[in-house]
Amino acid sequence: RIAAALQANGRASWGLIATAIDAPVRTIARRGQRLLDVGAVRVSTYLDTTRVGDARPLVIQISTRPGHAVAVARALATRADASSVSVLESGADVICQLMPRTPEESARLVDEELPELDHLVSVRVGTVLKFFRSGFDWTAIPLPDATLAQLRSGEDEGPRPTGKVTLTADDDRLVDVLAEDGRASASEVAERIGVTPPTVKRRLDALLGAGVLHVRTEISPALHGLRVEALTWLQVSPDRVEKVGEALGRHPSVRFCAACTGATQLLVDCVVADEQALYRFLTEDVAALGVTAAQTSVVLAPVRRGPMLIPESLNMADL
C-alpha cells in the first residue's frame, strides 16, 4: 500500500500517506524509506520533452548476437535519454524507448550512435505518434477513490495547456535535481541550484500545473506479485486505433500503450501475475477489442524503467 500510495503521489509526505492508508506514521516512514533504500521503489520526475523541445520519442528494437543482449541493454540504459530498456525472451533481442530532445539528436542516434554499439545484428526504429498510457500514470494495485483524493489533494484537476513551454536555466537545474530524487524538498533543491525555496516551489507548481513535469514513481512489480511482463504489438485498422488505444490505456494491467509507426499500430506493455493471467489478457481483453493480429514477447529481464535502473537481483525478503 505504501508503494501504491507513492505511485499515486510520489512527493506525498509520510504523514499524508499514513493518514490516507490509516497506518502509524513511524511505520510508514520506516517501511517507505526501506523501499526506497533497497531500490524497490524510485521516485523521480518525467519531463514531457515533446512540450519543451522538438523531441520525437522512439521505440527501438535491436537484435544482438546470442549472449550479448544484456550487455547491450545495460549500455543503452545508461543513456540520459533512455526511458525504458528490456531484454526479451529470445535472449538476443532488446527493446527500448529513447527520448532524444531534438531532431538532430534523433538523427545522430540512428545514424551514428546505435551502429557503434557492439554485437548488433539489426535495428528497427519506430516513432511514437501518441501515448495512451506512458508509465508515470500507472499504479500496480487500485486504491480506493477516497484514498486517492487524499493523496492527490491540492492537485489541479482542470484542463491543462498543450502548447510548447520554454524552460529557464533554473528550470533545467530544478528538473535535473528532481530527476535524481523526486522527493527532494524545496529547501534541498534550492540549496543545490542556488535559488530560494519559494522560487523552487513556485516554478515546480507551474511546471506540474502545466503538465510539462510529472512526478513518476517506478516500482518492482514483484512487490505486488506481478511476476510476468510482456510486450504485445497489435495490428489495428486505422479507424480503430484511437478506440483500442484508449481502452487499453485504461486497463489496470497495462503500464504502457502507444501508437507507433511501423508494421503494427499499437505497442502495449502489460504486467500480470502469471502466464495464465497473460493468456486471459490476450484471449479475452485484447481479443474483445477486435484487433487484426497480435504478436507477444515476454520480458526476460527489465533493465530500466523511467529513472529506475533495475537491480540484477532484488530479494523481497530484504523488505
Side-chain angles (χ1 to χ4, degrees):
R1 289 189 299 160
I2 296 170
L6 287 169
Q7 282 194 291
N9 181 359
R11 289 184 60 81
S13 68
W14 298 130
L16 176 57
I17 293 174
T19 300
I21 67 177
D22 192 22
V25 176
R26 291 181 64 181
T27 300
I28 295 301
R30 176 174 54 83
R31 299 287 293 168
Q33 192 59 50
R34 182 63 176 161
L35 291 171
L36 297 170
D37 290 344
V38 302
V41 175
R42 170 82 187 274
V43 181
S44 181
T45 51
Y46 166 76
L47 183 67
D48 186 349
T49 53
T50 65
R51 297 276 309 282
V52 297
D54 297 313
R56 182 178 296 133
L58 303 176
V59 173
I60 301 171
Q61 300 176 62
I62 297 173
S63 293
T64 72
R65 293 188 179 90
H68 297 285
V70 172
V72 170
R74 295 207 173 276
L76 289 166
T78 63
R79 292 179 58 96
D81 58 1
S83 177
S84 178
V85 183
S86 300
V87 177
L88 301 182
E89 61 187 333
S90 68
D93 294 312
V94 175
I95 185 166
C96 61
Q97 181 181 246
L98 302 183
M99 307 284 284
R101 293 182 65 166
T102 66
E104 292 76 18
E105 288 183 11
S106 295
R108 187 163 57 250
L109 169 68
V110 174
D111 294 338
E112 301 175 17
E113 296 169 5
L114 289 178
E116 289 179 353
L117 289 172
D118 293 332
H119 310 298
L120 263 63
V121 174
S122 65
V123 177
R124 286 181 290 170
V125 179
T127 298
V128 174
L129 303 177
K130 180 175 181 177
F131 291 105
F132 294 99
R133 175 170 280 171
S134 53
F136 70 85
D137 49 355
W138 173 78
T139 55
I141 60 172
L143 292 172
D145 290 342
T147 301
L148 285 173
Q150 282 184 292
L151 291 168
R152 293 171 173 169
S153 60
E155 291 186 6
D156 185 4
E157 297 291 340
R160 290 174 171 173
T162 57
K164 295 284 187 179
V165 173
T166 300
L167 300 185
T168 67
D170 285 342
D171 289 340
D172 280 330
R173 290 192 289 271
L174 180 152
V175 168
D176 288 342
V177 172
L178 291 176
E180 296 176 14
D181 179 8
R183 290 181 62 79
S185 68
S187 297
E188 291 169 333
V189 176
E191 183 176 352
R192 290 189 59 180
I193 70 175
V195 299
T196 65
T199 298
V200 169
K201 188 175 187 311
R202 183 175 67 253
R203 291 307 303 154
L204 179 58
D205 288 345
L207 293 173
L208 292 171
V212 172
L213 189 68
H214 305 274
V215 179
R216 175 173 182 160
T217 303
E218 291 291 338
I219 69 164
S220 171
L223 282 171
H224 299 297
L226 303 174
R227 301 187 180 279
V228 174
E229 180 180 1
L231 293 168
T232 299
W233 290 261
L234 299 175
Q235 287 187 352
V236 183
S237 61
D239 62 331
R240 290 186 53 78
V241 170
E242 185 77 9
K243 183 175 181 179
V244 174
E246 287 185 347
L248 289 170
R250 294 189 297 268
H251 194 287
S253 296
V254 171
R255 175 157 58 184
F256 174 91
C257 179
C260 304
T261 61
T264 57
Q265 288 69 51
L266 290 169
L267 174 60
V268 180
D269 180 1
C270 74
V271 187
V272 293
D274 51 31
E275 289 79 7
Q276 290 74 27
L278 176 60
Y279 180 79
R280 290 192 299 272
F281 172 75
L282 295 172
T283 60
E284 298 174 12
D285 300 340
V286 173
L289 297 173
V291 302
T292 304
Q295 179 180 339
T296 299
S297 184
V298 170
V299 172
L300 181 67
V303 178
R304 180 168 178 161
R305 293 291 179 268
M308 178 188 280
L309 288 171
I310 309 297
E312 293 189 36
S313 63
L314 178 62
N315 188 351
M316 292 297 122
D318 291 340
L319 303 177

